[in-house]
Structure formats: C-alpha cells, structure tokens
Amino acid sequence: MVYFRDAATAFKSLNGLLCVYKPACVSIKQVQKTIKTNLCRDLNALPDRPLEQRVEIVGPTNEPMEVKLVPNYADHPLACGPRYINEDFRCSWGIHLGLFTSGVLLLGINDGTRLTYQLNTARITRAYKIHGQLGKATDTYFWNGRTMERTTFGHVTREKIDSVVAHMQAAHQKTMFELSGLHMESETMYELATQGPIRPANNKLPVIYGIKCVYFDPPNFTLEIQSVNEYEKYLWTLVHDLGVQLKTSAHCTGVQCIRQGKFNVDLALLRKHWQLEHIAVNMDRCREILEENEGLVRPKSAKLNL
Amino acid sequence: MALGYHIKHNVILYLYLRFSNQLRTYTYNSVSISNENKRIRNLTNQEDAIINSCVEDLSTVAPYFPKSFNLAAYTNGSETLQKLIKLNVDLSKIEKKPHVAEKLLQLDINSNMNGHILFLSDFVKMENMGIFITKNPMIFYQNIDDLKVRVNYLMSKRFSDEQIKYIIWKNPFWLMFSTVRIDRRLGYFQEKFKLTGEEIRNLASKKPSLITYNLKHVLCNLFIIKEEMGFQDHEMKHLIMNKPKLWMINDKALLQRFDYIHNVMNISHARILKEPEILLCRNFRIKQRHLFLQNRGRAQYDPLKENFIPLKALFEGTDTEFCKKYAKCNATDFNDFLKTL
C-alpha cells in the first residue's frame, strides 16, 4: 500500500496507465467520471498545504504605515473551492469498450493519455469471452433486443460448433494479410507471412486471430476470441452468424474483455477499489508491465503483439 | 496544484492589471491641451506632481470592487465574507448559483445577519451553522418575525422542542415556506397516507425534507409504489413511516431495483416490508452478492428452510464481512467472482 504525505505529491505521482474492471451497463464516460471524482475526494482528504499569506500595508498615508502579514482568505478552501476538482484530471481510454461490454479497460490519467493513444495505434490484441444462447435470434443480436425468431437447437453438438468456429477463424486469415498494406503476391509479403500473425496497418476492418468454443452446455455456450479492431456490435453479429451457420439461431448474452495486450483481468481494479491508494499501486504495476514489454507501446515490426 | 485555483488567482491578477491601466489612461486624458509643446510640458508637470509628497491621508480612498467570477476575490476586502468563512460557510458552493451569490454580497454581517444567526442558534448548533447557511443563504432575506411565526406554528401543532430543532436543522429550507404552505403540505401527506396527528408529526421530524420536496416527484413515486409495485395502502403507510426516503429517490432506479428483487430474486412483498432498506441500496450491490450466493448454491432467502440468508446480508456491511458471515469464504473468492461478471 502507498501512503502519501500530502496531496501535492500524490497528485504529481498520478501520471500513467490504469487498468480497471469496467462493469457491464456502465459507460466508459461514467467510469472516467467516477474515477476522477474518487481521486479528487481522496486527494482533498489528504493533508493540505498551509494557507497562503498576503502582505497588507495599512494605516494613514501621511504617517508611517504598518506592514502586516495576514492570512489570505481568497486562498481558503471554503472560498475558492476544493483544491482538486474533476477538471484537473485528464483521462482517456485505450481501447473503447461498448456500454454492455464488461472487463479490462485501460485508462490514461494525465500524462498517461499519451500512452493510451500509442497503445491504440500499436493495435494490441484483445481477448474476449462471448456468452451466447442458442434457439433465439433478436433484432439487435443482443439479449436486450426484440425476439425475431425461435428455433430448435437439439441437433447442435460440440463437434459441429467447433468445426464452424474453426471455419470462421480460417476465413479471417485472409483479412489479416489484406490489411497489412502490402501486395499479396510480393516477396516482402511472403517474408512477413513467415514470421507468424501480423498486425493490421489501419483500424478499418476487424481481424480475428483465434476463436474457440470454451464452454458448451446447450443452449448456452461461450466463445473465446482474440482479435484487433473489433467493436461491440461486431462481436454480437459473430454469435448471430454462428447461429445461422449451425442451422439454428443464436444471440449474444454477454461480452467480457479478459485481456488487452499484456494487461489481464487479474490486474484490473474492481469498482469498489477505485480509490487513490489502489489506483497508485495499479499504476505502478502497469508501468512495470510497460517497461518489461517494450514492443507493446511503440512496436518496431509488423509482427503481432500477443 | 489545482487548475481551478490558478484560474481564480489569474482573474484577480488580471483585474488588478486592468485597474492599474485605467489609472494611467486617466492621468493621460486629463491633460487636454491642443498645443503639443504645452502638452509635453504639462505632462512632465503632472509627473512631477505625482512624485511630490502628499500630506493628505489617502487611506480611505479605495477602488471599487472590480467584477469577478467568484466570491473568493472579495473575501480579503469584506468583513462579512470573512466572518462567514469563520462560521464554516462554503462560499464556493454558494457561488454556483450566481443570483444567490449576488444577493449574499449585498448583506452586511452586523446589520442584516447577526439577528438571523442569533435566532437560528436556538435551533441549530453553532458547529452546524455553516452547513445550514451554505445550503440556504437566502434565509437572511426572510423577516425574523416571519421565522418566529413559522416556529410558533410548529409549536401550535404540538411538535416537541427536540422535533422542531431537528426539523429546522435537517431541512434548512423549512423556514422559507410560509405557514399556509407548510400547513397545506402536512395536510396533503396526512390525507394521502391516512396518517394520525402523531404519525404525521413523526414523519415530519423523521424526514423534514420530504414535506418540502417537489410534490410532483412524490406523486410520481407514490404511483410507482402503489400501482407498479403493488403495495397496499396500509403497507405503504408502513413504508413511509420507516423509509420516507423512498418517495424522494429516482423513480426509474426504484422500479428497476424492485423489479430485480421481486421478479428475479423472488422476494415477496411481505419480506420487503420487513426490510425496506433493500429498496434504498444500489442495484449492482444486491445483484453481485445475489449472483455470488447463487453461484455457491447459498441463495436461500426463505427463513423457514435451512441455510437461510437474511436479506440484510445483501446490502449491509463491507464485502469482507459479507463473505465471512454469510458466504463462508474468503474475500478474494468474491473478488475473483466479480471479475467473471
């Protein structure tokens, strides 16, 4: 645990990356606001600097005047407001998670905002657990939508789901090479392809590197996906497409991000731990991870960062 | 250092610079002579005049208070504001409402405020006076005789001294309401919930802010509790006597909470009535504890069967206490579970 002597040193140390666990149905904006508010609350509770003094020259001007040092009331926290307010913090997210997605969320605080931008452009891989349910299709592809159709799913077996999922993964291999920005039949492309999976050059198309069914208990199933450039709605449609290819229907019941680059769920701070001490410890651990993995922020090659 | 603090100081600095500039332009303009030579000569004379010693006492000459974005700029020059700060009044909160801040600046501690503070000190403890004034600085614009009449009204309605003190301190806006309005409101609640005189007195002293709350919102929550949740009239009376806050919270959140407790967790109305606090707890807290208990096979809320978990386990105490006492596991197990949601 970190103990801070006063608020000013604590505020200066709050620069860097933070890894939090975003609950589902809470937007990123709200997470940012809660964290900022909690930080301000904890900083304002720490020992404050002494009140500023001000020089006053008083007395009649035609006689020797008196110079006094008096406390400056304009500096009093009751007059000029709390020392730290939400607007003092800059906060940005690394990879956007939708409203209904829960899981690992990387936030940059103050100078860490630069890091989140670099992480975003480095296109780090994300791993998701996607929970789905067979037998029902909805208009939004998610549980909150209107039911569009109901089907039987007795014929779906673990083998069938595995083969469809393997097929989906293979189909994405091509997109991966297309998004590298090189000519498909060139020597450079060949050399790049021999190194293993490659990062996309831009963020236009979602790329899936691995997809696997980790839990199957009809009608419920869970997929584990490693991908880049994906977004919430895209993951929902994956489940829907899976349902169609299995000759039944399916909708998504939950999306959970379990890993972003080297930052996994174990590191993430739960909502009840969004407090100054925990945040400071978490920032240190994130900094260590970034130092251990230099390629994470500014990668030198087109090879994929796992 | 806080950004807000910097801005505030820059404002003062800026105002000071502007003011000193004005002084300079003023001396320059006063030399209104057509002839250029004369003007230069006069200018030097003028400057000489500034350097010459002045025998008058100029300490009473002071500039006007310049315009400012906040009250902090005026605190050093105003005895009233300094006294208010010493009373623990949070000026930074008052200035969030500019029209109130403007009114506050027109007051003087000795002539306008002392009487009110003296009167209020009978009901509000001196250490709480700051909180009271922060919430309702407009109390100083009320006539003290009116305030006395309003307190007398409460006495005439047989509120005890303790109750009156509590009402006035807990709800700083109570004294702003005329006796006619307060009477009408007390009557409204008494009629709506079929309360006896003693009960309405208890309600008013338990939650004084409910009486002066937005009646439209109260009516909306009344509809939700009665029609959408389906509580009977006598059950509602029980609820308002125990948890009057239910009529003041957000209607959507209330309904969502009830929906989860009643329809997902299958808790009956009678059980909720016994522990109405559960309706005031945020939904995610109940949800995550319920899901955890379910995951461990302990979500058994029926007191007639074995391994019964009381409802208060879902909203009371810290997570560590909950894990130790009810879920019978370590806090880390609970945290790990939360990371799978």
Side-chain angles (χ1 to χ4, degrees), chain A residues 144-161:
Chain A
N144 60 2
R146 207 153 49 87
T147 310
M148 298 312 278
E149 99 182 290
R150 282 184 187 279
T151 45
T152 55
F153 51 85
H155 59 279
V156 180
T157 59
R158 180 77 193 230
E159 288 73 33
K160 274 188 189 160
I161 218 173

Side-chain angles (χ1 to χ4, degrees), chain B residues 103-121:
Chain B
K103 287 268 186 186
L104 189 75
L105 284 176
Q106 294 164 12
L107 293 169
D108 182 61
I109 188 93
N110 296 321
S111 53
N112 310 109
M113 291 172 158
N114 266 353
H116 286 82
I117 293 176
L118 215 63
F119 172 77
L120 286 174
S121 62

